Structures are given as structure tokens and as C-alpha cells.
Amino acid sequence: MGFFRGRFLHSLDTKGRVAIPQRFREAMDAGREEIRLVMTVDPEGCLVVYPEGAWTELERKWEELPQMNDDLKTYLRFMVGWASEGVLDRQGRILVPPPLRDYAGLEHEVWFVGLLHKFEIWNGERLGTATGPEKVRSVTQKLSGLF
Amino acid sequence: MGFFRGRFLHSLDTKGRVAIPQRFREAMDAGREEIRLVMTVDPEGCLVVYPEGAWTELERKWEELPQMNDDLKTYLRFMVGWASEGVLDRQGRILVPPPLRDYAGLEHEVWFVGLLHKFEIWNGERLGTATGPEKVRSVTQKLSGLF
DNA sequence: CCACCCTCCCCCACTTTTCCCCACTCTTCA
DNA sequence: TGAAGAGTGGGGAAAAGTGGGGGAGGGTGG
């Protein structure tokens, strides 16, 4: 499984479908014909997409945690509660369910952003404010201890 | 038994019935014709629904615990005391008993939220406040020790 | 003990959404 | 300048969700 990199501008059609960038499809496609993925939300206000395998791995971790923990329940209500599994159609598109569309404020134009093992789908304006160079500069300082 | 994922907006009809989302039915249906489930309440103010098997497993655990424990009694009065078993009708709907409807403040519009082994039924407003992005962000910090 | 009422559940019919397929355009590359 | 690959748009069948009529069954009151 390759990495997801780069950003691509695509369009959501009137039926709520978007084509996944070919580069991303290649990264997932190990010669299989059917590509399955899971789409959910991120607190920053965008959608996150995982190849099915990566997602089920996350679920396996969550299963093992103490199920009575209230914080975990809140977290799962968010991550799992928004999750939507889907298969690409013959044209390499996926249907974005209306609740997810609304959550991420997706109109006609949407941006795909590669993020190694997963990728995100953004409304253009939100992407701009969330990932501007100024913001990154401030964050980089705090990270410098890590690597 | 598959996992429950995602959120779906359905409507409670005038008879107090709701259709279970098809995705959730699939997750329970191992080719059986009759799907039985148990519905109870959650302290957060929503309903929780377990497939019958998952519920009886919980009951078996509860049985083994020290029955004199007052905290356990309080907990069971809540979980078991509200529990209601039901079967889906031919249209895949279930009847929500009036006490449960009132407890969860369910009107016409109700949200289904998948939570891996179980799923919840929410009044829209309550769901919004219980699972907003701000809340999740604060919780995520505390959880980072767990995984 | 009987009659009534109310709830529940079966069935049927309608609307909306989803998803499968085909066709067109635009870019890229030889 | 042609061919192939990528992205977009829309028609139409199938599936999913919704609403309501009517009969059976259980509870209640007389």
C-alpha cells in the first residue's frame, strides 16, 4: 500500500459523488478490482478517508479498550458515529453521504489532501485557514522536540 | 456479526415506529429471517440498542458480579430496568415503547449512530451538544495515553 | 364474564435515494 | 494530431425509507 501525497481539486456533482484522484487510487490498488474505503470526519472540519484495511486496524484497537470509559465513548461516537463505508464505482467515484457533506461544508469544489496512510477532503476556504503558512510556522516550533 | 458504523437520519412515524438503517440490519443479519434486539437507555440521554446476542452476553457478566453491591444494583436498575426487547417487522422497523421515547426526547426526527457492537438513537439537538467537534478535541487529549 | 378500546403488527402503496451503466470533454503524451 | 487516460454529467433500474388501512390480541372497566 503506497502513500497518499499531494493535493487535488475535484468537483462534487449534483448527486453528491466525487472522483478519487487517480494517484490515490493507484496507491490503494494492489491490482484488485474493488476498492473499499471508510470515510469519517475530523474535528478540524474536514473529512478523512482510510483504505478499508487501515480502518479495521483502528477498530481492532478501539475494541480492546475499556468500553465503560466515557471519554472513549465520546470519541467513538465521533469517529465511528460518522463513519461511512463505500466502494468506488466504475469511474472511480464515491458517494459522500449528505450528513458528511454538510459537516465538512462541501459545495461543488472540493480539495483532496494526501496524508501518508490516509487522505482528507476539504472545503477550499477551510483548508486555506487551517493550513496557511503562518499557522504552520507557529506549530513547527513546538514540534521541534519530536524530530 | 458486522460492526455498526455511521449516522442516519430517520423518522419516527405517528405509531412510534422507526426503520432501522439497512446498513445496521445487514450487520446483524447472518441470513436469519428474524432479527431480535434489545433497546435500553444511556445516561447521556439517548437510547442504546444491542443485538440480542450481545445483550445476553452482558447479562451473563452481570450475573456473575456480587449482587449485594449497591452501585451494581443502581446500575442494573437503570440498564435492565429500562430494557425492552423487540423484533423487527417485515419492513425492518421497530416499535419504540413510549417510556423510552420520552426518556430520549424523541420527536419525529431521530438519528441513528453506529458504535461498533451497538448503536444509539438520538434526538438531534442532544446529539449535537454531546458530540460536537469541540468536545471531541478536549477528549482526544485525555485519551492519548490509551492508544 | 363480556364488551370495548387501544396497542401492535401485518400488509400494501408511494416517494426518495442510491448506484450501475453509458457517453462526453479535456488534458496529456507520444 | 491522434489516442489514451482522467474527470464529469446524466438516465434509469433497484433498493431503502415512509405512511396508512385493517385485523388480531391483550388489558381495562362495567
Side-chain angles (χ1 to χ4, degrees), chain A residues 42-54:
Chain A
D42 184 279
E44 301 281 332
C46 65
L47 304 183
V48 201
V49 184
Y50 296 86
E52 195 187 41

Side-chain angles (χ1 to χ4, degrees), chain A residues 8-79:
Chain A
F8 305 87
L9 177 62
H10 280 192
S11 56
L12 204 63
D13 67 23
T14 53
K15 294 181 175 179
R17 297 172 300 185
V18 247
I20 305 292
Q22 174 59 13
R23 287 289 177 82
F24 290 1
R25 266 179 270 158
E26 282 167 14
M28 292 186 280
D29 182 15
R32 281 165 299 134
E33 56 201 59
E34 199 177 54
I35 297 184
R36 309 184 134 270
L37 32 79
V38 177
M39 188 183 307
T40 186
V41 298
D42 184 279
E44 301 281 332
C46 65
L47 304 183
V48 201
V49 184
Y50 296 86
E52 195 187 41
W55 174 263
T56 53
E57 205 170 307
L58 283 176
E59 284 184 332
R60 222 172 298 137
K61 280 185 199 160
W62 294 333
E63 259 190 293
E64 294 169 3
L65 300 174
Q67 299 295 319
M68 309 278 288
N69 183 316
D70 278 345
D71 290 339
L72 179 66
K73 271 168 67 179
T74 302
Y75 182 75
L76 290 185
R77 262 188 211 119
F78 190 75
M79 290 294 283

Side-chain angles (χ1 to χ4, degrees), chain B residues 60-127:
Chain B
R60 222 172 297 136
K61 278 186 199 159
W62 293 334
E63 261 186 331
E64 293 169 3
L65 299 174
Q67 299 296 319
M68 311 283 288
N69 183 317
D70 280 346
D71 290 341
L72 179 64
K73 274 165 65 181
T74 303
Y75 181 76
L76 290 186
R77 257 184 224 119
F78 189 75
M79 290 291 284
V80 181
W82 282 98
S84 151
E85 4 174 11
V87 187
L88 298 204
D89 70 14
R90 266 265 194 75
Q91 280 67 36
R93 291 178 291 196
I94 196 160
L95 182 74
V96 182
L100 291 175
R101 232 177 289 165
D102 294 344
Y103 175 90
L106 301 181
E107 313 273 342
H108 184 67
E109 292 198 341
V110 303
W111 284 92
F112 283 80
V113 178
L115 232 64
L116 299 181
H117 296 291
K118 60 186 189 249
F119 61 89
E120 297 179 335
I121 306 181
W122 286 84
N123 162 308
E125 289 182 28
R126 291 194 195 174
L127 178 60

Side-chain angles (χ1 to χ4, degrees), chain B residues 126-144:
Chain B
R126 291 194 195 174
L127 178 60
T129 62
T131 67
E134 329 73 32
K135 177 144 193 184
V136 174
R137 230 173 286 159
S138 75
V139 158
T140 311
Q141 296 308 315
K142 293 190 271 176
L143 279 175
S144 56

